[in-house]
Amino acid sequence: MDGHGDGGGQHDSQRYSRRRGCHETNLQCLRLDTFALQQLISFFFVSAPSAKAAQSFVAMPGLTIGDTVPNLELDSTHGKIRIHDFVGDTYVILFSHPGDFTPVCTTELAAMAGYAKEFDKRGVKLLGISCDDVQSHKDWIKDIEAYKPGNRVTYPIMADPSREAIKQLNMVDPDEKDSNGGHLPSRALHIVGPDKKVKLSFLYPACVGRNMDEVVRAVDALQTAAKHAVATRVNWKPGERVVIPPGVSDDEAKEKFPQGFDTADLPSGKGYLRFTKVG
């Protein structure tokens, strides 16, 4: 049909094969280019670290909810700490700070020390990290405790002078740098569960201090949700009603929550908003 004269079909077949070969080659090149671009982005994002650190970072780009926290071993104010061993079978609040002897960080660590008993009641351990060395941390603690007398810093603060750990923990602030141009930690906070997975994360810029009451509330909500297989509504606080997940049928809810539940009367007529109380 498109051929001209004898053997046209054969020529068409050869042209088709050549075009197909070109398309396949182009597709392979596109895949290679995409892969190369991803590698370049990963490389430059971590400020060109060592090959070993880059491989580790690429393997876990952007630690987030549901990811297993890397089992790093770092020096700390309490000696060597391996993160998974520290977590054990408890919850851990792992939080980072842009630097020692900085104003907002000092107020935060003092507040965290003041809330330590509240976290301990909930079976939650505290673990800080900052990119200065251990001796700097120990000297800084004196300032923190002097700022809030009575708030003793009993939790460990890990050291990360190479700044490789904060990259693997997804705690890098892209905008904040030191005098040498090196990236600083953000005000990141991961709540890690007994399964070593990140359950919840907060991420603040260096200019905004964290709200410790919200961290406590988040811990309560996570533990309540895990214990009773429920969800917590907006601004929920312990003792208030919780939400029954949509995947639980009414019949299942009656069996699971013998104390009963209320269903909101909505214009859609869909009974998806159900509230109950749990102990």
Side-chain angles (χ1 to χ4, degrees):
M1 313 214 203
D2 287 339
H4 302 286
D6 294 338
Q10 181 179 355
H11 292 316
D12 284 350
S13 177
Q14 291 172 346
R15 283 196 297 272
Y16 172 76
S17 296
R18 286 196 297 272
R19 286 196 302 270
R20 181 180 178 186
C22 289
H23 290 323
E24 291 176 344
T25 301
N26 289 339
L27 182 58
Q28 290 171 349
C29 289
L30 178 60
R31 287 172 177 164
L32 287 172
D33 287 345
T34 301
F35 177 77
L37 180 60
Q38 290 173 337
Q39 295 302 303
L40 283 171
I41 291 172
S42 296
F43 181 80
F44 285 112
F45 184 74
V46 298
S47 301
S50 64
K52 182 178 180 181
Q55 289 173 358
S56 178
F57 183 80
V58 171
M60 189 184 300
L63 184 71
T64 188
I65 295 173
D67 290 342
T68 299
V69 68
N71 191 22
L72 305 176
E73 183 177 73
L74 298 170
D75 287 327
S76 81
T77 51
H78 289 198
K80 286 273 188 185
I81 284 181
R82 184 172 289 276
I83 292 179
H84 284 199
D85 293 341
F86 185 83
V87 174
D89 59 358
T90 65
Y91 281 81
V92 166
I93 295 176
L94 175 60
F95 54 100
S96 63
H97 295 275
D100 296 358
F101 302 102
T102 51
V104 179
C105 297
T106 299
T107 65
E108 285 192 327
L109 266 72
M112 194 66 87
Y115 277 75
K117 290 182 179 179
E118 288 300 316
F119 291 121
D120 188 57
K121 288 178 189 176
R122 294 159 172 79
V124 178
K125 293 188 286 190
L126 304 176
L127 181 59
I129 182 171
S130 183
C131 57
D132 295 294
D133 59 43
V134 170
Q135 187 55 53
S136 175
H137 293 348
K138 290 181 177 179
D139 292 339
W140 183 30
I141 286 173
K142 296 174 185 177
D143 283 2
I144 295 167
E145 294 180 340
Y147 168 68
K148 283 291 183 181
N151 288 10
R152 294 190 60 248
V153 178
T154 57
Y155 53 83
I157 305 174
M158 297 185 295
D160 182 31
S162 69
R163 306 188 186 182
E164 298 300 334
I166 60 169
K167 295 167 188 173
Q168 295 188 57
L169 294 169
N170 195 23
M171 292 175 158
V172 177
D173 190 320
D175 298 321
E176 292 293 325
K177 297 182 181 180
D178 62 18
S179 57
N180 296 319
H183 283 290
L184 293 172
S186 59
R187 292 189 199 288
L189 184 152
H190 300 312
I191 299 179
V192 182
D195 58 359
K196 318 302 186 290
K197 294 183 184 297
V198 177
K199 302 300 181 184
L200 184 149
S201 289
F202 292 100
L203 184 60
Y204 291 75
C207 61
V208 179
R210 282 170 278 216
N211 184 319
M212 295 303 167
D213 288 329
E214 173 57 15
V215 177
V216 174
R217 193 195 76 88
V219 168
D220 286 335
L222 282 172
Q223 293 184 335
T224 298
K227 181 178 179 180
H228 300 285
V230 293
T232 56
R233 63 180 180 82
V234 63
N235 297 331
W236 175 88
K237 293 179 181 178
E240 296 179 348
R241 296 188 304 169
V242 296
V243 175
I244 300 173
V248 178
S249 69
D250 282 349
D251 288 339
E252 290 171 331
K254 290 174 184 176
E255 183 177 344
K256 190 170 184 178
F257 304 105
Q259 68 273 28
F261 60 90
D262 299 320
T263 303
D265 185 12
L266 302 173
S268 67
K270 300 179 184 294
Y272 61 87
L273 187 53
R274 298 167 297 174
F275 299 98
T276 189
K277 294 205 74 170
V278 293

